[in-house]
Amino acid sequence: MANDQILTAEQVVGRAKEYLPQSDADLIYKAFQFAEHAHREQFRKSGEPYIIHPIQVAGILADLEMDPSTIAAGFLHDVVEDTEVTLKQIEEAFSEEVAMLVDGVTKLGKIKYKSQEEQQAENHRKMFVAMAQDIRVILIKLADRLHNMRTLKHLPQEKQRRISNETLEIFAPLAHRLGISKIKWELEDTALRYLNPQQYYRIVNLMKKKRAEREQYLDEVIGEVRAQVNEVNIKAEISGRPKHIYSIYRKMALQNKQFSEIYDLLAVRIVVNNIKDCYAVLGIIHTCWKPMPGRFKDYIAMPKPNMYQSLHTTVIGPKGDPLEVQIRTFEMHRIAEFGIAAHWAYKEGKDAAQPSSLEDKLTWFREIIEFQDDATNAEEFMESLKIDLFSDMVFIFTPKGEVIELPAGSVPIDFAYRIHSEIGNKTIGAKVNGKMVPLDYKLKTGDIIEILTSKHSYGPSQDWLKLTQTSQAKNKIRQFFKKQRREENVEKGKEQVEKEIKNLEFDLKEVLTPENLKRVAEKFNFANEEDMYAAVGYNGITGLQIANRLTEKLRKKKEQEQETNISESVSELKSFPSNKRRESGVRVHGIDNLLIRLSRCCNPVPGDEIVGFITKGRGVSVHRSDCPNVGGEESESRLITVEWEGGLNDRKEYNVEIEINGYDRRGLLNEVLQAVNETKTNISAVSGKSDRNKMATINMSISIHNISHLHKVVERIKQITDIYSVRRIMN
């Protein structure tokens, strides 16, 4: 899966021939020819012919030894989205199976959404639901994302950051949950290179400096292990595994460690023929070097949910430094590298269908259908998914010794609802490791938990919605209130909706007509208005969402009534006397004495290209010419020529919003504030936040004289160590 080689279609087919019969190789090549014809005359941002991308995606799938339908879909994955080809044509040319896989990874490009975030969430929802029906959909998507990350340098910096963030939030954790470490590590390392290049290259350079020292140490360790293993006639492959850059970065960020404080940069991997030999080699390792307490993990007896199996131990190595050792069989190693994809190793005479045992081992992705049914919109669906599938996990034991996997931060109520909804509804207490604990107790890996129930329980409390971590528990609790307290919820929901309508300044009688209520209820897939009010009452949907839908037609009508006759407005504007300087620093060409205000959405400053926008009763609103709020055919007739007065020598102050991104280290904010102060610039507001990857975002409102002043501030901030982007933002 080398990322520096551009494969040809013939090389991809040749790789597939290593494990597929000729007839399947012919199908794959036919898919390439179909895709090549469909993408003819199309090019990527890099200037390369577009077909290169599908070839590389198919190549990644062939490296994973996927079945012929999946590799064919890899070649075809973009034809429906980017060409005139239809799914029906793919089904006729290939099969219903190939068409289904292509459909699963095709974005919803032809549907209009309110925002890019909403569209992206809908695309993800479609992909994950398709994945729940056939897991191969996500394998194609992962291959697609991997090659896109390899070619990310050809995109603008803002897109690089957005795509890299999305990769770290969704695709890398998904590759981890599917056990495909070969893809996971490359996605994480590449994303870090674009999100935090300074830290990425710093770690790379530090690793290079100590490479010779590490290799010598590794040779010494491997030689000692090989000698000991040969003495007991165990056949083994022994190798060193360097830590990946992102894992080092995470350890430095989360544990506040310097590079010099991270000792386990290397792990020794020992691969043997059978499980008996795994434990025999473990004994040898613990005989050679002293094991560190609490650092032994037996993933063979208790595999991870992604089917990963291995023995992990950390010992005090030859030079007194910690040394991590992994021991596994060849089959376990294959699953560790390829994860779920290892189960599609297609041999002649065998089906490439999903193994039935696989579904039992990956029950977590079946819950996606449940998320889909319970979520009111795509954003809520994705948030549920991130919490339940992509967060760090803890492993809890039932009294019978069964292992239950839950997101970190889960409480006994989450555990109860994971077992059964009735147990959750009847929960009155919990015991952890034999002792009573409160229901907000944060469960830890290794806890043995027993749920106490009562037939006389009144059911869950509304407060449980704040305590629970899993979407499954929250959904079950909401369903309980939906069924048990319908009348109360209907009344409560109706009050919330009416309150929101009043806040929007609309008349209730005008809004709450039977026809309007029926229309909105159907829009949200409710059988009637009572079901809609009940959903608001048990927090299944917000009152504001319903109120916005109910008032949308009236709002449009009100906007139309406020539309002014532009020709009359311009005539009226021209009737004013001229040659009077305005406080805004802007004047309308040939007209004076107007009410002119600078728009807050884009905060124009002298030096920016600007345009005026005529508003009824509020004069002229001045925007930057690239402001999205003045685009479109409808607004063209309301635009008017404006210009700055006083030029760049004007000392009037203008408010500008900037966003600063960097590595979240101690003292970063103070250095930024000091840098801005050095440019003699006033700061009116500042706020900041840091994400789980130690990426800091600082938002600042500053007062500047003109565009040159702004550039001076931005360039000074960029000189600070660990700052990698400064940009002007719109409200």
Side-chain angles (χ1 to χ4, degrees):
M1 204 174 286
N3 59 14
D4 56 351
Q5 179 188 4
I6 297 178
L7 300 173
T8 64
E10 289 72 18
Q11 287 173 317
V12 174
V13 175
R15 175 71 184 93
K17 279 184 181 178
E18 293 175 15
Y19 65 97
L20 290 172
Q22 182 62 45
S23 58
D24 290 334
D26 292 341
L27 170 75
I28 291 170
Y29 193 72
K30 178 186 174 184
F32 158 68
Q33 291 176 314
F34 190 100
E36 184 181 40
H37 180 74
H39 290 298
R40 66 191 183 281
E41 298 179 4
Q42 287 186 338
F43 296 88
R44 303 195 85 205
K45 295 284 186 184
S46 62
E48 299 171 326
Y50 194 90
I51 190 62
I52 287 178
H53 171 62
I55 292 172
Q56 307 318 302
V57 171
I60 292 167
L61 294 168
D63 274 342
L64 292 174
E65 296 192 1
M66 293 302 297
D67 63 287
S69 293
T70 307
I71 299 174
F75 275 121
L76 300 165
H77 76 278
D78 273 339
V79 295
V80 173
E81 184 180 334
D82 294 336
T83 75
E84 297 301 315
V85 174
T86 65
L87 282 172
K88 185 70 175 173
Q89 288 173 303
I90 292 178
E91 186 177 333
E92 289 170 355
F94 297 94
S95 67
E96 185 179 343
E97 181 184 20
V98 172
M100 179 273 298
L101 293 173
V102 172
D103 184 40
V105 292
T106 299
K107 293 178 185 174
L108 305 169
K110 295 176 182 177
I111 303 174
K112 290 187 177 179
Y113 293 94
K114 290 180 183 175
S115 67
Q116 184 178 356
E117 291 76 14
E118 184 181 354
Q119 170 135 9
Q120 196 72 338
E122 284 289 359
N123 286 330
H124 288 149
R125 166 145 70 172
K126 178 178 186 287
M127 178 183 68
F128 280 110
V129 172
M131 162 190 157
Q133 294 163 354
D134 194 313
I135 200 87
R136 290 174 294 175
V137 167
I138 206 64
L139 297 177
I140 299 167
K141 189 62 186 175
L142 284 173
D144 173 52
R145 177 51 60 108
L146 181 58
H147 184 250
N148 281 335
M149 291 300 291
R150 290 173 179 175
T151 57
L152 208 55
K153 63 184 178 184
H154 301 291
L155 296 180
Q157 188 181 42
E158 192 171 334
K159 267 196 170 183
Q160 290 174 350
R161 284 184 45 74
R162 179 175 58 79
I163 292 170
S164 295
N165 256 323
E166 183 185 55
T167 297
L168 277 185
E169 281 191 356
I170 295 174
F171 292 100
L174 189 57
H176 173 67
R177 289 303 299 261
L178 296 174
I180 313 173
S181 61
K182 287 178 78 74
I183 289 181
K184 177 199 176 225
W185 290 120
E186 190 178 340
L187 287 176
E188 289 181 335
D189 284 357
T190 312
L192 179 63
R193 191 166 82 217
Y194 290 103
L195 285 173
N196 199 337
Q198 288 182 321
Q199 288 297 318
Y200 174 87
Y201 288 111
R202 177 171 169 251
I203 293 169
V204 169
N205 291 330
L206 288 168
M207 289 179 75
K208 280 180 182 176
K209 287 178 184 177
K210 293 196 172 186
R211 178 176 292 171
E213 183 184 328
R214 287 200 311 271
E215 286 176 352
Q216 183 183 348
Y217 175 70
L218 192 61
D219 290 341
E220 184 182 336
V221 170
I222 290 175
E224 176 70 19
V225 174
R226 184 169 281 119
Q228 295 287 339
V229 168
N230 288 341
E231 272 188 29
V232 292
N233 295 320
I234 292 176
K235 291 182 179 180
E237 283 187 6
I238 307 168
S239 61
R241 182 188 67 82
K243 268 198 178 292
H244 291 272
I245 296 166
Y246 183 75
S247 66
I248 295 171
Y249 168 79
R250 287 275 289 165
K251 187 167 255 186
M252 290 170 65
L254 296 178
Q255 298 178 17
N256 276 325
K257 288 187 175 183
Q258 294 298 316
F259 184 84
S260 57
E261 297 177 278
I262 298 176
Y263 299 108
D264 54 339
L265 291 173
L266 281 177
V268 173
R269 180 177 292 146
I270 305 168
V271 186
V272 296
N273 287 323
N274 53 56
I275 293 176
K276 182 182 73 173
D277 288 348
C278 288
Y279 290 100
V281 170
L282 176 68
I284 291 170
I285 297 297
H286 284 178
T287 303
C288 291
W289 299 290
K290 187 176 180 180
M292 291 179 67
R295 295 297 299 269
F296 169 65
K297 292 171 184 171
D298 188 345
Y299 294 119
I300 292 179
M302 196 167 66
K304 289 185 178 182
N306 61 11
M307 300 171 291
Y308 175 88
Q309 287 185 286
S310 189
L311 295 176
H312 288 198
T313 186
T314 304
V315 297
I316 304 299
K319 294 183 179 179
D321 291 335
L323 171 69
E324 185 182 326
V325 182
Q326 300 174 354
I327 308 163
R328 60 182 70 148
T329 67
F330 286 98
E331 179 58 23
M332 291 173 191
H333 181 60
R334 175 176 169 74
I335 291 173
E337 291 292 294
F338 298 112
I340 191 173
H343 292 267
W344 267 274
Y346 185 90
K347 309 298 179 188
E348 193 168 4
K350 292 185 180 180
D351 283 335
Q354 286 182 216
S356 57
S357 60
L358 196 59
E359 294 189 29
D360 298 331
K361 292 179 180 177
L362 286 168
T363 53
W364 59 267
F365 81 80
R366 291 293 168 193
E367 295 174 7
I368 290 172
I369 294 297
E370 190 174 322
F371 295 158
Q372 158 76 5
D373 292 339
D374 292 328
T376 55
N377 56 50
E379 286 93 337
E380 183 183 327
F381 170 75
M382 286 308 301
E383 285 307 310
S384 298
L385 210 61
K386 287 178 188 176
I387 291 170
D388 282 20
L389 300 184
F390 302 146
S391 58
D392 293 332
M393 310 306 287
V394 292
F395 301 92
I396 315 301
F397 291 92
T398 69
K400 293 181 180 180
E402 295 175 8
V403 181
I404 302 294
E405 179 191 23
L406 291 168
S410 293
V411 298
I413 303 166
D414 292 299
F415 176 87
Y417 279 103
R418 179 60 58 89
I419 301 301
H420 197 280
S421 56
E422 277 305 304
I423 292 176
N425 290 340
K426 298 295 181 183
T427 296
I428 57 170
K431 284 184 179 180
V432 173
N433 304 325
K435 295 181 180 179
M436 289 293 296
V437 296
L439 291 179
D440 62 355
Y441 169 86
K442 297 284 192 295
L443 295 169
K444 298 185 289 291
T445 293
D447 280 346
I448 302 171
I449 182 169
E450 178 186 354
I451 298 296
L452 307 178
T453 61
S454 170
K455 293 180 180 177
H456 306 295
S457 167
Y458 289 107
S461 161
Q462 284 277 7
D463 292 336
W464 287 11
L465 289 168
K466 299 174 185 175
L467 296 179
T468 51
Q469 179 72 13
T470 63
S471 297
Q472 182 186 29
K474 293 182 189 294
N475 289 333
K476 296 296 182 186
I477 294 166
R478 289 190 185 112
Q479 285 174 15
F480 175 86
F481 290 119
K482 181 180 178 180
K483 292 176 183 176
Q484 299 295 320
R485 302 180 180 176
R486 179 173 171 79
E487 289 184 11
E488 182 182 330
N489 284 327
V490 169
E491 191 60 35
K492 183 180 174 184
K494 188 175 182 181
E495 288 177 5
Q496 288 183 28
V497 171
E498 290 179 354
K499 180 183 175 183
E500 294 293 351
I501 292 170
K502 288 177 182 176
N503 289 341
L504 293 171
E505 298 180 355
F506 284 97
D507 181 71
L508 291 179
K509 289 182 180 178
E510 194 177 5
V511 174
L512 298 177
T513 63
E515 298 79 14
N516 201 21
L517 287 167
K518 183 182 177 182
R519 178 184 64 82
V520 174
E522 288 175 353
K523 193 83 173 177
F524 284 98
N525 296 318
F526 293 113
N528 50 55
E529 64 183 82
E530 282 198 353
D531 284 355
M532 181 175 71
Y533 284 139
V536 176
Y538 66 75
N539 297 324
I541 192 170
T542 67
L544 182 58
Q545 284 176 285
I546 300 297
N548 279 333
R549 283 291 188 184
L550 286 168
T551 58
E552 61 183 349
K553 287 187 176 181
L554 289 172
R555 274 186 282 121
K556 286 179 182 177
K557 184 180 177 183
K558 189 180 280 188
E559 287 170 8
Q560 287 172 357
E561 289 174 354
Q562 290 176 347
E563 288 290 329
T564 182
N565 186 304
I566 300 304
S567 59
E568 289 180 7
S569 296
V570 172
S571 298
E572 186 180 338
L573 287 172
K574 290 181 177 178
S575 67
F576 285 106
S578 58
N579 299 323
K580 182 179 179 183
R581 183 180 176 85
R582 276 142 306 281
E583 292 182 4
S584 65
V586 176
R587 70 184 181 90
V588 177
H589 188 65
I591 310 173
D592 210 344
N593 199 23
L594 297 178
L595 176 61
I596 299 178
R597 60 188 181 85
L598 300 181
S599 171
R600 291 183 181 178
C601 62
C602 57
N603 290 324
V605 300
D608 284 331
E609 290 187 12
I610 52 175
V611 65
F613 187 81
I614 301 171
T615 60
K616 184 175 181 180
R618 291 183 296 165
V620 176
S621 175
V622 178
H623 296 257
R624 281 160 50 187
S625 58
D626 60 349
C627 179
N629 291 332
V630 293
E633 294 179 8
E634 293 180 8
S635 63
E636 277 187 14
S637 59
R638 305 178 69 173
L639 299 181
I640 192 167
T641 303
V642 293
E643 58 188 28
W644 293 105
E645 285 188 324
L648 297 182
N649 297 319
D650 192 352
R651 305 311 293 169
K652 179 178 170 59
E653 291 191 335
Y654 299 84
N655 195 58
V656 169
E657 305 283 339
I658 58 173
E659 181 184 274
I660 305 157
N661 293 289
Y663 172 64
D664 184 21
R665 58 169 170 80
R666 187 176 297 174
L668 181 69
L669 179 59
N670 285 337
E671 287 186 36
V672 171
L673 295 174
Q674 186 178 346
V676 175
N677 190 49
E678 287 174 7
T679 64
K680 298 181 180 179
T681 303
N682 291 326
I683 301 171
S684 54
V686 63
S687 63
K689 62 180 179 179
S690 176
D691 65 18
R692 63 187 179 91
N693 296 307
K694 298 289 281 184
M695 305 293 179
T697 301
I698 301 169
N699 289 302
M700 189 178 289
S701 182
I702 58 176
S703 299
I704 58 106
H705 300 303
N706 50 48
I707 200 73
S708 298
H709 185 183
L710 176 61
H711 289 162
K712 181 181 176 183
V713 175
V714 169
E715 290 306 314
R716 178 61 188 90
I717 295 172
K718 282 183 176 180
Q719 293 172 13
I720 300 171
T721 304
D722 294 326
I723 294 293
Y724 52 84
S725 75
V726 184
R727 69 186 186 95
R728 184 177 174 185
I729 59 174
M730 296 188 187
N731 293 327

